[in-house]
Amino acid sequence: MSDSGSAPAAERPKARAAPEGSTAPARPAPPPRPMVPLPYLLDFFPLQEADQTGIARFFARLREGRLSTTRCSRDDLLHWPPRVACPKCHGTELTWVDLPERGRIYASSAVLAGAPLGMEADVPFAVGLVDLDGVPLRLFGRIVGRRWEALAIGLPVRVEGFELADGRVFYRFRAEPEPGPPGG
Amino acid sequence: MTLGRSVALVGGTTIPWGVRAATWAELAQEVGAALFRRVPSLRAEEVDSFFLGAAEPERFAFQSHVAPFAAEQMGLAPRRIIQRTELACASGQSAIRSAYAAIASGLADVAVAAGVEKMNLPSMPEANTSMACVLDRAWDGAHGGTAPPFFAMVAQRYLAEHHAPPEALTAVAEKNHAFANTNPHAQFYAKKFDRAKLDRLPLVSPPLRLGDCSSMTDGAAAVLLVAGELAGRYTDTPAWIRGSGQYSDFHNLAHAGSLTDWTGLTRAARAAYDMAGVGPEGIDVAEVHDCFSISEIVEYEALGFCGRGEGARYVLDGRSGRGGDVLVNPRGGLLGCGHPLGATGIAQAVEVFDQLAGRVPPERRASDPRWALVHNLSGSANVHSVMIYEGGTAG
Ligand SMILES: [Zn+2]
């Protein structure tokens, strides 16, 4: 079984210094942040720092092992992915809520060929749509823990956060290991 | 319902599709040359407007501002409207719809709608990355989500919900590949795929095998659209645009809802049928978006050719083949012709134009057709685009 979901194991490049002899006006140095291992426009994962996105809290919570999202209390609406404005009432006063960590597979398949750049080493890997328990949310993601052949509609999974090679975080689903051979 | 002036498709062409020893610019030059050969009475200065369907030239060819770039390659200098239309896999049909709207409104009289896509790169993983960013890149693509696993999930749910025989998937691929063997411009023109061979191809995203998936294709196509009163200048056998409908349902996969009931397509088709004053039972020939074999099966149902859950039986019983209810994908479909994203919708319109005039080889010719339908989906079947054409005479 491949431990899919792992990010490309590239070295973390150093932050680029200003070119020598630069005449640009002095500006405060940006806060240090993890650099992506691929050129930015070939990198899939969301930028996660507070100076890059309005939903940095999602990634901070994920780092603590909590999957969360925004909710609009006016519409009693859970968003996915987390947002800065409600698509229904267009209000911007949203609250953060934790999501259930358990769910069941609604549909699943696998990538056996044709993986994008940086994911070739993960092949074969399983993906699926998962209905989270008790909330009206069906999330797409990788499913690890079992071979793709042993996944099925209705199989329980739980969500987990994990760290990418460059220090960012992301999430995936994990299925219980396959039962061993009978009597074994 | 008529919208403004009537609009006629009066000529069109494809070029050889496949893994081409040609750059993006050269594909555009080839299709320009082919269009002027195909419509000998057309002079470049008559073309007042140009609409280019191109899905991802920035990623596949590292080129932006592609409408004027393509116009120059094709020898056109549009003076009224020039624009690119981008709607991923439906970019070509978007170009035709935009040209139609421009002519119907009176903003344009003579318009070329073209599609150009170069997809085969030295680095296929980079090309796959480009395909993955059609989805919500940061939240779906980042998991490794691309079209094959998504449509594989559609197939898994379809087979489970309807207890449908998996052979129906192969039957779609076999039918469309056989039609592609009549189309010299198809990517797989020279390749025979019978059922046994298709079943031996490797799995790409289970249950979909290689033969269930359309290819990465370099290709181009172009059509000429004019105000109705000008049609006779260019052809005796115009195809009249009678109906148009689109529906955009969602984008992130979390909001896909049922994977097997494409209500967005049902709505887009209803709008087009109502506008044209014809129903699914009146359609003689249809070019539908078989990006994957399962797509065509779900489309039979959402377009109203058969009832919900009957799509697998529909293809297995030959109702979408020659002599069936509706001749579906006679040009070879995306499965047989390949799928150069922006060019696909244009090539489907070329086929419809030739079908309505009885100008295709007899092995794929519809019998005395009057009404034709073209469907494209884009992305994860989250957007559907439908157009309806009627055959007829000029003037
Ligand atoms: Zn709201």
Side-chain angles (χ1 to χ4, degrees):
Chain A
M1 189 204 78
S2 74
D3 181 26
S4 41
S6 55
E11 286 288 306
R12 179 174 151 181
K14 293 194 178 70
R16 193 164 37 167
E20 281 182 52
S22 167
T23 54
R27 281 202 280 168
R33 79 168 53 121
M35 294 294 288
V36 300
L38 287 167
Y40 172 63
L41 287 180
L42 289 169
D43 177 84
F44 280 95
F45 297 97
L47 297 178
Q48 311 188 341
E49 304 295 319
D51 65 343
Q52 296 170 321
T53 173
I55 59 162
R57 202 184 294 192
F58 171 84
F59 302 101
R61 287 179 173 225
L62 190 58
R63 199 174 285 285
E64 298 165 3
R66 299 153 70 191
L67 184 76
S68 60
T69 194
T70 52
R71 179 177 180 276
C72 174
S73 45
R74 199 181 323 185
D75 290 311
D76 189 21
L77 183 66
L78 273 181
H79 304 144
W80 189 263
R83 302 175 55 106
V84 297
C86 176
K88 196 164 176 189
C89 69
H90 302 106
T92 53
E93 284 173 27
L94 309 177
T95 54
W96 284 90
V97 292
D98 284 336
L99 292 172
E101 68 174 32
R102 292 181 183 281
R104 286 176 188 274
I105 294 177
Y106 174 77
S108 69
S109 183
V111 174
L112 309 188
L117 196 65
M119 300 185 191
E120 307 101 306
D122 302 344
V123 172
F125 60 85
V127 294
L129 281 163
V130 170
D131 284 325
L132 295 183
D133 286 352
V135 294
L137 277 186
R138 177 179 296 160
L139 307 191
F140 180 75
R142 288 236 189 147
I143 305 175
V144 300
R146 277 194 187 209
R147 296 170 307 127
W148 64 263
E149 298 95 323
L151 300 177
I153 293 170
L155 191 80
V157 295
R158 59 188 172 76
V159 73
E160 65 180 24
F162 65 98
E163 192 162 295
L164 304 173
D166 62 20
R168 285 177 294 173
V169 287
F170 209 51
Y171 59 96
R172 63 190 173 197
F173 298 101
R174 182 171 292 279
E176 289 297 315
E178 291 162 58
Chain B
M1 183 192 95
T2 318
L3 172 72
R5 304 194 294 173
S6 63
V7 178
L9 196 160
V10 295
T13 189
T14 52
I15 61 170
W17 286 10
V19 181
R20 292 290 318 278
T23 64
W24 196 101
E26 290 159 4
L27 296 172
Q29 290 177 32
E30 281 184 41
V31 81
L35 180 66
F36 283 96
R37 275 199 303 276
R38 180 75 196 266
V39 191
S41 57
L42 177 65
R43 290 178 300 121
E45 53 274 24
E46 293 168 348
V47 177
D48 60 59
S49 298
F50 178 61
F51 299 85
L52 177 74
E56 298 198 66
E58 288 87 351
R59 297 217 68 109
F60 286 122
F62 198 14
Q63 182 64 58
S64 290
H65 210 196
V66 283
F69 185 70
E72 182 168 287
Q73 307 302 323
M74 294 174 69
L76 300 173
R79 61 186 177 275
R80 294 177 82 178
I81 302 178
I82 178 162
Q83 73 179 53
R84 164 186 172 190
T85 57
E86 190 277 302
L87 194 62
C89 325
S91 299
Q93 188 183 134
S94 276
I96 295 178
R97 175 174 287 95
S98 300
Y100 165 70
I103 295 169
S105 74
L107 281 175
D109 292 316
V110 178
V112 168
V116 180
E117 212 79 45
K118 172 77 186 176
M119 299 177 73
N120 288 283
L121 308 180
S123 161
M124 282 316 283
E126 242 185 90
N128 293 328
T129 291
S130 301
M131 295 305 290
C133 71
V134 168
L135 303 182
D136 185 334
R137 182 266 304 160
W139 299 89
D140 292 332
H143 296 284
T146 55
F150 176 78
F151 286 91
M153 293 192 296
V154 174
Q156 179 199 42
R157 291 292 314 188
Y158 187 93
L159 297 176
E161 290 174 19
H162 299 305
H163 308 287
E167 304 86 77
L169 302 174
T170 321
V172 170
E174 187 182 39
K175 167 180 75 72
N176 294 353
H177 271 290
F179 281 138
N181 295 144
T182 73
N183 180 353
H185 285 180
Q187 182 161 11
F188 297 109
Y189 168 62
K191 287 209 170 158
K192 304 277 185 202
F193 290 96
D194 60 16
R195 210 162 284 210
K197 186 169 174 182
L198 288 163
D199 284 339
R200 283 196 306 271
L201 292 174
L203 285 165
V204 172
S205 280
L208 301 179
R209 293 179 182 277
L210 194 57
D212 293 301
C213 309
S214 56
S215 299
M216 302 285 249
T217 306
D218 309 332
V223 291
L224 180 66
L225 297 146
V226 302
E229 66 268 21
L230 304 177
R233 275 197 213 167
Y234 304 103
T235 184
D236 298 326
T237 56
W240 298 91
I241 295 178
R242 299 299 194 206
S244 162
Q246 277 189 311
Y247 197 83
S248 179
D249 228 350
F250 65 94
H251 193 256
N252 186 284
L253 295 183
H255 309 127
S258 164
L259 296 186
T260 60
D261 185 9
W262 291 358
T263 53
L265 176 51
T266 305
R267 290 172 193 225
R270 175 53 54 203
Y273 287 138
D274 287 351
M275 185 175 167
V278 67
E281 61 292 335
I283 301 297
D284 302 297
V285 55
E287 285 284 320
V288 307
H289 202 93
D290 58 326
C291 47
F292 297 89
S293 53
I294 183 63
S295 315
E296 184 169 317
I297 291 172
V298 179
E299 287 154 11
Y300 298 147
E301 301 176 11
L303 287 166
F305 296 165
C306 64
R308 188 131 193 259
E310 296 171 2
R313 207 61 260 164
Y314 191 81
V315 63
L316 287 168
D317 291 347
R319 292 171 67 187
S320 51
R322 284 196 78 218
D325 302 7
V326 185
L327 180 61
V328 179
N329 284 333
R331 133 195 113 93
L334 284 60
L335 292 175
C337 293
H339 182 26
L341 310 173
T344 286
I346 308 277
Q348 290 171 310
V350 174
E351 176 71 11
V352 155
F353 172 67
D354 286 334
Q355 283 279 355
L356 292 173
R359 256 191 316 263
V360 297
E363 309 82 58
R364 73 171 203 256
R365 191 181 299 157
S367 129
D368 197 21
R370 176 181 169 192
W371 292 100
L373 178 146
V374 177
H375 160 255
N376 294 107
L377 66 77
S378 35
S380 51
N382 52 327
V383 184
H384 291 278
S385 305
V386 177
M387 295 191 78
I388 294 175
Y389 296 81
E390 185 182 16
T393 53

